[in-house]
Amino acid sequence: MVEIKNILVPVDFSEVSEFVAEWAKDFAKKLNAKIHVVFVLEDLAAYEGLYGLVKTLTDLENVLLEGAQKSMEDFMKKHFADYPEAQSIIVKGDVVEKIIETGEKVKADLIVMGTHGKKGLDRILFGSVANGVVKNSPIPVLTINPYRLKKA
């Protein structure tokens, strides 16, 4: 039987991420597994020259990184304070690639993620992230659609 000891949980700090985090934590408790919560800050280097100076983009990335670190700290306190086997990771780059790379780096046996993220355009983009991870990951991926899940 397959043993699941490391679970990667990509988040975007939306309500969906909160739901997925709680579900993943319950799952991890039953399996006695570690949880690695990852947030990927999209690399803005691709936009250099298009929307402004490199310094402006670097400054923006620094502001976004600070915000991500604070959001991750709050997220971990809210959802994993009672689960010492959880750690947080923030990386920068292409979202799909970095989720998969991080999964490989932490030797994840399973990736648990939502099928949707934030509302509006972000929701569409996160859906495409889930699709990209499912199609390209060598690690099994469990997707959760919180909008279709029956309430207990």
Side-chain angles (χ1 to χ4, degrees):
M1 182 164 172
V2 175
E3 195 171 19
I4 298 173
K5 290 295 174 192
N6 285 293
I7 299 172
L8 184 72
V9 182
V11 298
D12 65 359
F13 308 124
S14 66
E15 287 180 14
V16 171
S17 290
E18 293 189 10
F19 180 85
V20 171
E22 291 300 321
W23 196 95
K25 181 173 67 175
D26 288 345
F27 195 56
K29 283 180 180 178
K30 289 178 174 104
L31 297 170
N32 196 29
K34 292 181 182 176
I35 293 179
H36 308 272
V37 180
V38 64
F39 174 79
V40 181
L41 180 63
E42 192 161 359
D43 189 359
L44 299 180
Y47 300 105
E48 288 177 2
L50 292 176
Y51 298 110
L53 302 172
V54 173
K55 182 179 179 345
T56 304
L57 287 176
T58 302
D59 290 344
L60 176 59
E61 274 189 346
N62 290 335
V63 169
L64 294 173
L65 180 59
E66 285 177 25
Q69 289 168 333
K70 174 69 173 129
S71 294
M72 181 64 87
E73 184 180 310
D74 294 344
F75 191 86
M76 295 300 288
K77 282 180 186 173
K78 181 176 181 180
H79 298 286
F80 296 103
D82 64 338
Y83 197 71
E85 294 298 318
Q87 71 169 34
S88 64
I89 304 164
I90 296 176
V91 294
K92 184 175 86 168
D94 177 81
V95 180
V96 171
E97 287 176 14
K98 289 299 178 180
I99 289 171
I100 294 169
E101 282 178 21
T102 303
E104 291 173 329
K105 183 177 179 182
V106 302
K107 296 180 175 33
D109 303 299
L110 181 67
I111 298 172
V112 176
M113 65 189 302
T115 57
H116 300 78
K118 295 180 179 180
K119 293 182 178 166
L121 182 59
D122 287 342
R123 182 174 172 182
I124 294 166
L125 293 175
F126 195 77
S128 66
V129 169
N131 188 43
V133 173
V134 167
K135 286 183 176 182
N136 296 295
S137 177
I139 302 163
V141 181
L142 173 65
T143 59
I144 299 170
N145 183 340
Y147 303 112
R148 300 274 185 206
L149 208 61
K150 291 182 180 180
K151 304 284 184 200

